[in-house]
Amino acid sequence: MDEELRSLAGRVRGEAGTSAEQVAYERLLATEDQDELAGVLVETQRPLWAREVAAFRLGCAGDRRAFETLVLLLNHREPQRCASAAYALARLGDPRTARAAAALATNGLRTAYALHPVRLLTELRAPETVPALIATLRGLLKPHEPNWRVALACVEGLGQLRDKRARPVLEAALDHPRLTAAASAALSRLT
């Protein structure tokens, strides 16, 4: 069991309350049958933790049946679920992942939940990445922005990607105290 799966298993263990759920929990962690895991994603009455474990395991195995569930979890209000989904999506290898992450990152109504989609986009380095990070960051460059951590992730991601198209928005980020150092470092990396 890798470290990410171990972390997920530890986090959801308490959500499996009844003895029957504990048995199901152990089974989901032990099975190597991808069809069994995929079945969990479509069965009715399955709790969220079970769907998360199944989708995570399938995603890390490159099974695209996990895509929709992982995207839903990437947009979840609980940051740990988002982080696990992003980890699995990065390993899934589905060409739809970057578009989905870009749509989540640039959705102005869901900006508070965009941190993990932004980080996933940076990791994917897809054609959608730089335009999505620029658009997201541009929308967050206003005084007293409560989602400054998302803005910081955009700045850091743009710095890692070293794309010249980011120069104007990174220069604008210099004026924001929480972003100044990261924006300066990102600008120094642009080629």
Side-chain angles (χ1 to χ4, degrees):
M1 184 181 300
D2 78 359
E3 187 58 37
E4 292 297 323
L5 179 56
R6 190 178 350 273
S7 175
L8 168 61
R11 178 172 50 79
V12 302
R13 179 185 309 274
E15 295 179 40
T18 67
S19 59
E21 287 181 335
Q22 286 294 325
V23 169
Y25 165 84
E26 294 297 335
R27 178 75 187 151
L28 285 173
L29 292 176
T31 188
E32 295 301 323
D33 184 347
Q34 290 186 352
D35 289 334
E36 180 181 349
L37 291 169
V40 170
L41 301 180
V42 296
E43 289 174 12
T44 59
Q45 305 301 316
R46 282 293 192 149
L48 181 59
W49 65 262
R51 293 178 196 277
E52 182 180 6
V53 170
F56 181 90
R57 294 204 55 218
L58 287 169
C60 289
D63 190 318
R64 292 185 181 175
R65 292 177 286 183
F67 177 77
E68 287 83 7
T69 302
L70 289 171
V71 169
L72 289 172
L73 291 166
L74 182 63
N75 195 34
H76 201 273
R77 68 182 175 273
E78 294 177 40
Q80 300 91 342
R81 293 201 197 280
C82 299
S84 292
Y87 180 87
L89 281 165
R91 280 135 194 88
L92 180 60
D94 191 304
R96 300 172 292 174
T97 300
R99 278 192 313 275
L104 293 174
T106 58
N107 182 342
L109 300 175
R110 302 289 294 171
T111 304
Y113 306 106
L115 181 63
H116 293 286
V118 164
R119 288 179 177 163
L120 176 59
L121 277 168
T122 301
E123 185 175 350
L124 293 174
R125 296 177 177 265
E128 297 89 345
T129 299
V130 171
L133 295 183
I134 289 171
T136 302
L137 180 56
R138 189 175 291 125
L140 296 172
L141 293 179
K142 50 189 175 264
H144 311 295
E145 172 57 52
N147 298 303
W148 64 270
R149 285 180 182 86
V150 175
L152 181 60
C154 290
V155 169
E156 291 169 347
L158 291 167
Q160 289 175 25
L161 297 167
R162 301 172 186 234
D163 191 303
K164 291 179 191 177
R165 294 176 290 174
R167 184 172 300 283
V169 75
L170 289 172
E171 287 174 347
L174 288 170
D175 294 333
H176 298 266
R178 290 180 167 161
L179 306 176
T180 303
S184 178
L187 282 164
S188 72
R189 289 188 203 106
L190 296 186
T191 55

